[in-house]
Every structure is written in C-alpha cells, then in structure tokens.
Amino acid sequence: MTARFRLEPLGPGHDRNTFSCGVAALDSYLAGLAGQDIKRRVSACYVACEVTSGKVAGFYTLAASSVPLHDLPPSLTKRLPRYPSVPVARVGRLAIDMAFQGRKLGGALLADAAVRSARSEAAVFALIVDAKDEGAAAFYRHHGFEPFGGNPLQLVGPLQRFLQAAG
Ligand SMILES: CC(C)(COP(=O)(O)OP(=O)(O)OC[C@H]1O[C@@H](n2cnc3c(N)ncnc32)[C@H](O)[C@@H]1OP(=O)(O)O)[C@@H](O)C(=O)NCCC(=O)NCCS
C-alpha cells in the first residue's frame, strides 16, 4: 500500500473536487469545508494520494478532544489515575474514494491517525471515531474499536494496537 500512496496533510496542490466515496456529505466536506477547518485550526485533514496520478484516494480528519473517564470501557481505563477526563484524538471523518475501496487503505489511514496522534507533543491516550452509520461502525469494530458512552456510533481504540501494526 505505502509505495503506491503518499500520506500527507491536505494542501493546495490536491484536487478535492473529483473525490467520490459514495457518501455525498463526506465528498462535499473535502471539497468545501476541510480547507476552512484547517485554517481555523478546528480540524486537521490528511490524505492518501496516489503517487502515479496524484489523485486523492482517501482522507481523514483529526482533532484534539477529551472524553469523561467514566464513559470509557473499564478494560481501557483500569490502570489510569481517576482524573475526570482523558485526552484523545478524534477521527471525525474518514473516507476512501470508491475506485480505491477494499484495498486496505481505510485501515492504513486509521494507522496513520494513530501514529500522528502518538507523535503529538500533547499527550493522547486513545483514538476516538465518529461512525456515520452502523456499516461504518462495523468497519471500526473490525479494526478493534469498541463503542463507549452508550452511543454505538462513537468508538474508541487504544493507540498501541496500531503502533504495533505500523512497526
Ligand atoms: C468504510 C471505508 C472507510 C472502508 O475503507 P476500505 O479501504 O474500503 O476498507 P479496507 O480495505 O481498509 O478494509 C480493511 C478491512 O476492513 C474490513 N471492512 C471494510 N469495510 C467494512 C465494514 N463496513 N464492516 C466490517 N468490516 C469492514 C474489510 O473486510 C477488511 O478486512 P480484512 O483486513 O480482514 O481483509 C470505505 O468503504 C468508505 O470510505 N466508505 C464510505 C464512507 C464511510 O462509510 N466512511 C466511514 C467513516 S464515517
């Protein structure tokens, strides 16, 4: 995967208008709002760019967040101090262009989000994701995420799992 795609911050050189993942709201976010969110520092956006064509094959957004400690599964928090909340990085949106789906790119973007979060100079305990529907939640569960806070579309995954896989 990595040889064919570059994983990099969304920038002015990327064509955002031809991206089509099958979910109009995600396509129009990339085409319209992603750049403004980056400028306003409310969300970062990273893309997988096909090396040969320069095409944007996938993207995800990443932002700092925090969650109440008592919302998280006890299996994740049993060794943590009893602070009221823990710092996390939120993958608010993640999508792969239909032409590139089913090639493990979605999993690679999740791993990239974990690596960037772990590299952050501000502490990040875990990744959380917002799934748009049950199908998306199944994708995240497949990658080891589990629902938390009583919302089946909000899931958490420890960074370690992805960092080990990324080497
Ligand atoms: C969901 C999506 C991100 C998956 O990306 P992808 O690159 O096609 O998926 P991958 O090739 O990385 O899949 C990797 C693994 O996840 C599994 N998987 C993929 N989609 C799945 C789903 N909906 N439910 C359960 N497992 C799923 C694959 O079977 C594969 O399993 P394997 O590693 O055991 O072979 C992509 O299809 C997409 O962008 N869909 C439209 C937008 C969307 O739903 N975004 C979700 C976040 S809101």
Side-chain angles (χ1 to χ4, degrees):
M1 192 297 295
T2 41
R4 292 193 51 213
F5 298 95
R6 281 193 311 268
L7 301 183
E8 59 197 17
L10 177 67
H14 295 121
D15 179 1
R16 305 146 194 224
N17 295 312
T18 54
F19 183 84
S20 174
C21 72
V23 179
L26 290 169
D27 297 346
S28 59
Y29 175 81
L30 182 68
L33 278 179
Q36 293 174 35
D37 280 357
I38 294 167
K39 267 194 212 125
R40 293 174 182 148
R41 299 186 65 85
V42 292
S43 194
C45 183
Y46 297 94
V47 296
C49 190
E50 191 180 38
V51 172
T52 49
S53 65
K55 193 170 165 30
V56 173
F59 77 93
Y60 70 89
T61 62
L62 193 63
S65 185
S66 81
V67 292
L69 183 73
H70 60 72
D71 275 0
L72 293 175
S75 57
L76 275 187
T77 59
K78 59 179 179 239
R79 287 164 193 265
L80 291 185
R82 300 289 98 189
Y83 296 147
S85 63
V86 289
V88 296
R90 175 188 295 273
V91 175
R93 297 176 172 85
L94 184 151
I96 305 299
D97 186 285
M98 283 187 289
F100 296 93
Q101 289 180 9
R103 300 194 209 172
K104 313 242 184 246
L105 205 44
L109 290 190
L110 274 180
D112 189 64
V115 169
R116 289 183 195 276
S117 302
R119 257 196 241 139
S120 163
E121 292 193 16
V124 172
F125 171 69
L127 266 192
I128 62 169
V129 293
D130 296 315
K132 65 169 185 49
D133 57 24
E134 166 48 33
F139 167 75
Y140 292 120
R141 290 196 304 271
H142 180 85
H143 285 89
F145 284 75
E146 48 185 319
F148 72 93
N151 178 355
L153 299 183
Q154 184 176 251
L155 300 95
V156 59
L159 291 185
Q160 211 49 40
R161 173 190 170 98
F162 295 98
L163 301 182
Q164 279 158 1

